[in-house]
Amino acid sequence: MFESERIKLKEKATGKSYAKIIWFGEHSVVYGKPAIAIPIYSVDVTAIIRRINAGQNIHCRYFDGPVDQMAENLRGIKTLIDHLTNLLGAKDVAFDLTIESKLPSERGMGSSAATAIAVIRAFFAFFEVSLTRDMLLKLAEIEEKITHGNPSGLDSATASSSMPIWFIKNEINEQIDFNLPTSSLVIADSGIKGKTSEAVSLVHSNLVDQPEMADPLIQQLGTIAETARQALAEADDETLGKLMTQSQQNLAQLGVSNHTLDTFCQVACQNHALGAKLTGSGLGGCVIALAKNQADAQQISTALRKAGATQTWIQSFKNYQFSTGEAHDNLVQ
């Protein structure tokens, strides 16, 4: 803590974070099984903080005005900002914070976590204070607990990462390498808001009421994630595609898919996808499909738009330099 008048401030600072996609392990991760999630680098959130003469203002797609007047639906980010200014001894420092997000909200892409990560990075850069990854994730949890109640930490871990994440709740949160030089992931927004709490409750009810059906499905989803990690290490996209389709079948049996998501998966596979599945909690949100090359990815993307996707992205894995922490991606919107 230090006196605000002695704080060394930049005139302007920026923080960035990314969309996250759960590739394997939705719902089973709640029950101690592993999940694999990946950051989508060009679907990003940028937070820009500037010095001003007076006041503390925020500009984003949901609110434009003084921080202390932010509405209840933004309580998570307001609480985070209040915590950061306290932590940095800067409650009286005047600033203007702009949040620019390419992430659709409530689609299972980690919008709230990505926003929190970008804001934290911007504040620490603004005050020229070093920030460890552990501290970053702990601070992001302040916002996530308000927004999501009991977050697993997977969203924040992925939104802040330069690599895929191997995640087991309360046990393992580590970055992993993979090499898929020709493959691409197609992400399609169904246009339907995800229903996280409803989907999680539904799976829990199935485990309580129909354990003979639900337990094996959860176990299989955990095994699928473990097999997928090996397939990633071996650049085996054919196996990855099959595992995606198997995951979708399990998730549908658990009741968290719907007609639109099922249809999108079918359309993708009819247009040369190696496999397709919902991503995130389900009952809405996005579908992901694995394509062997860029041409197939374009065909899948076009077919999904024709089938009703409100937006699609193509994430190429070509030239990802995970070993150096860099990512060079070709992402078409």
Side-chain angles (χ1 to χ4, degrees):
M1 304 290 272
F2 38 81
E3 298 291 335
S4 61
E5 62 267 20
R6 296 178 186 169
I7 295 173
K8 183 180 180 182
L9 293 176
K10 289 185 175 181
E11 289 296 322
K12 174 185 173 183
T14 300
K16 191 176 286 289
S17 61
Y18 310 105
K20 80 93 175 51
I21 289 295
I22 297 180
W23 203 340
F24 296 96
E26 292 91 345
H27 291 287
S28 53
V29 72
V30 176
Y31 301 96
K33 307 303 178 187
I36 298 173
I38 57 172
I40 305 296
Y41 295 100
S42 293
V43 187
D44 58 28
V45 178
T46 303
I48 304 162
I49 188 167
R50 297 178 175 88
R51 292 180 67 173
I52 57 175
N53 292 327
Q56 296 181 342
N57 301 312
I58 185 169
H59 315 282
C60 65
R61 60 187 173 195
Y62 302 114
F63 181 79
D64 194 319
V67 170
D68 61 9
Q69 294 179 23
M70 292 170 73
E72 178 62 21
N73 66 316
L74 295 173
R75 185 165 62 91
I77 205 71
K78 180 183 184 301
T79 302
L80 174 62
I81 292 170
D82 289 344
H83 184 90
L84 290 170
T85 55
N86 274 325
L87 178 69
L88 297 165
K91 284 191 70 65
D92 298 324
V93 171
F95 62 82
D96 207 58
L97 174 64
T98 300
I99 300 172
E100 300 171 349
S101 178
K102 297 177 184 177
L103 279 73
S105 63
E106 298 181 79
R107 298 296 196 275
M109 297 179 80
S111 178
S112 64
T115 300
I117 294 292
V119 167
I120 295 162
R121 284 176 166 165
F123 266 90
F124 273 74
F126 186 56
F127 291 104
E128 299 190 74
V129 177
S130 61
L131 177 65
T132 66
R133 180 167 172 78
D134 283 347
M135 186 186 299
L136 174 66
L137 296 180
K138 286 177 182 176
L139 289 168
E141 196 174 63
I142 293 168
E143 188 280 335
E144 285 290 89
K145 281 184 175 178
I146 292 171
T147 302
H148 293 301
N150 184 29
S152 67
L154 179 58
D155 283 11
S156 297
T158 313
S160 61
S161 180
S162 61
M163 302 167 69
I165 295 292
W166 175 257
F167 185 89
I168 301 176
K169 188 176 181 181
N170 299 325
E171 290 186 32
I172 299 174
N173 176 349
E174 63 186 21
Q175 298 172 315
I176 58 174
D177 294 316
F178 77 88
N179 177 33
L180 292 173
T182 65
S183 307
S184 295
L185 197 67
V186 182
I187 306 132
D189 185 352
S190 69
I192 304 168
K193 289 183 178 181
K195 303 178 180 69
T196 301
S197 59
E198 183 181 331
V200 171
S201 295
L202 177 59
V203 173
H204 178 72
S205 295
N206 283 334
L207 283 164
V208 172
D209 299 335
Q210 304 178 66
E212 69 287 348
M213 178 275 290
D215 273 333
L217 295 173
I218 293 294
Q219 296 296 327
Q220 287 169 20
L221 287 168
T223 301
I224 286 169
E226 291 168 355
T227 307
R229 181 172 184 171
Q230 185 64 32
L232 283 169
E234 297 172 355
D236 185 353
D237 54 9
E238 297 280 351
T239 294
L240 286 167
K242 291 175 183 176
L243 293 170
M244 289 170 70
T245 297
Q246 180 62 59
S247 290
Q248 174 61 21
Q249 292 169 0
N250 283 27
L251 292 165
Q253 285 183 262
L254 287 168
V256 297
S257 192
N258 62 23
H259 176 71
T260 299
L261 300 178
D262 290 342
T263 298
F264 281 9
C265 290
Q266 292 165 7
V267 167
C269 291
Q270 289 164 0
N271 284 273
H272 305 303
L274 299 174
K277 61 182 286 293
L278 64 83
T279 179
S281 61
L283 302 178
C286 295
V287 159
I288 54 174
L290 185 62
K292 197 161 188 67
N293 52 53
Q294 188 72 12
D296 285 352
Q298 291 286 359
Q299 181 175 334
I300 294 163
S301 174
T302 299
L304 286 168
R305 283 178 180 262
K306 287 180 179 178
T310 57
Q311 194 169 16
T312 59
W313 300 269
I314 299 173
Q315 178 68 67
S316 171
F317 298 127
K318 183 180 180 182
N319 296 329
Y320 265 53
Q321 302 295 324
F322 289 129
S323 61
T324 62
E326 298 174 357
H328 306 284
D329 61 287
N330 301 315
L331 189 137
V332 181
Q333 185 173 324

